[in-house]
């Protein structure tokens, strides 16, 4: 999709071509009116030629006026290549997400990219656990309604925070490897504290997922028969009764 600068020059060229086209048409119709009117006298056809010439002339004047107004405006600045690439990437992702299975594909690509970025760091293990727990939570979230809705919102916010924390742990760990010997102890201490926070946060998220599963399980307690199973049992008994009646008949 074109940027503002490209759209500006595209519109400018379109107006210029339109103005030239209407100018040529107005000149042709005006010349035909000037020649044919004295040739055969003024009649109904001559009025039509004159009206067409006048309309074409007015449209040509309006197009030239619009062209001058647009040309007087400064052209938008050229877009930075990095910004252009980011916009193109965002439009491509949005187009893919509109497809039936596009959102799942985009999410899987993002997870693979994050997994690759954390590979070889201490944050990789907790990130894998968080990813599995988040996938389980996503499968249950559509059925967690009523009193459980605040917990679903809290889980989504916690997931985003923990993923950001995992990226921070990996960044600090790489900085520790590159830092000189005298600067490593503070970074190592910070890395250890962040790693502990990440582990505790992932464990708390897993407990939340387990609690959500327990909430769903309580909706259909084992001692209660599922409505679908009850209907199937009734239908089976009904068919057995029909079969017995037919056999007796």
């Amino acid at each position: 999709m074109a940027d503002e600068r490209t759209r500006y020059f595209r519109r400018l060229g379109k107006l210029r071509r339109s103005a030239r086209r209407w100018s040529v048409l107005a000149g042709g119709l005006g010349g035909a009116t000037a020649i044919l009117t004295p040739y055969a006298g003024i009649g109904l056809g001559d009025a039509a030629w004159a009206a067409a010439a006048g309309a074409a002339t007015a449209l040509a004047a309006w197009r030239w006026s619009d062209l001058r107004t647009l040309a007087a405006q400064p052209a938008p600045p050229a877009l930075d290549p990095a910004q252009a690439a980011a916009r193109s990437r965002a439009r491509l992702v949005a187009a893919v997400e509109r497809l039936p299975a596009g959102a799942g594909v985009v999410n899987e690509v993002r997870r693979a990219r994050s997994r690759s970025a954390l590979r070889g760091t201490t944050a990789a293990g907790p990130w894998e656990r968080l990813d599995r727990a988040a996938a389980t939570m996503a499968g249950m979230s559509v059925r967690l309604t009523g009193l459980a809705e605040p917990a679903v919102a809290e889980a989504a916010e916690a997931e985003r925070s923990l993923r950001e924390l995992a990226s921070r742990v990996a960044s600090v760990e790489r900085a520790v490897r590159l830092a000189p010997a005298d600067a490593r102890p503070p970074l190592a201490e910070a890395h250890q504290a962040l790693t502990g926070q990440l582990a505790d946060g992932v464990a708390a998220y897993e407990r939340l997922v387990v609690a959500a599963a327990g909430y769903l399980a309580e909706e259909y307690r084992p001692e209660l028969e599922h409505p679908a199973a009850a209907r199937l049992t009734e239908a089976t008994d009904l068919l057995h009764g029909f079969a017995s009646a037919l056999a007796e008949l």
Side-chain angles (χ1 to χ4, degrees), residues 1 14 40-42 56 66 78-79 90 100 105 112-113 126 152 154 181 185 187 197 201 209 228 239:
M1 196 172 182
K14 185 178 179 181
I42 299 176
D66 294 339
L79 195 62
V105 173
R113 185 174 59 184
V152 175
E154 186 66 28
L187 286 177
Q197 293 179 5
V209 173
L239 290 177

Side-chain angles (χ1 to χ4, degrees), residues 84-102:
R87 288 188 179 183
S88 300
R89 185 167 54 251
R91 294 191 185 102
L92 179 61
V93 170
V96 173
E97 286 181 339
R98 285 194 292 269
L99 298 175

Side-chain angles (χ1 to χ4, degrees), residues 38-134:
Y39 179 76
I42 299 176
L44 185 61
D46 300 314
W49 281 106
T57 303
L59 284 172
W62 287 338
R63 289 293 182 267
W64 284 112
S65 177
D66 294 339
L67 177 62
R68 286 191 296 270
T69 301
L70 183 62
Q73 300 176 3
L79 195 62
D80 184 72
Q83 295 179 354
R87 288 188 179 183
S88 300
R89 185 167 54 251
R91 294 191 185 102
L92 179 61
V93 170
V96 173
E97 286 181 339
R98 285 194 292 269
L99 298 175
V105 173
V106 172
N107 290 333
E108 185 61 31
V109 170
R110 287 172 177 170
R111 283 198 295 268
R113 185 174 59 184
S114 300
R115 188 184 302 111
S116 177
L118 298 177
R119 188 174 300 165
T121 64
T122 55
W127 193 93
E128 291 285 349
R129 290 168 50 198
L130 175 63
D131 196 48
R132 289 193 296 268

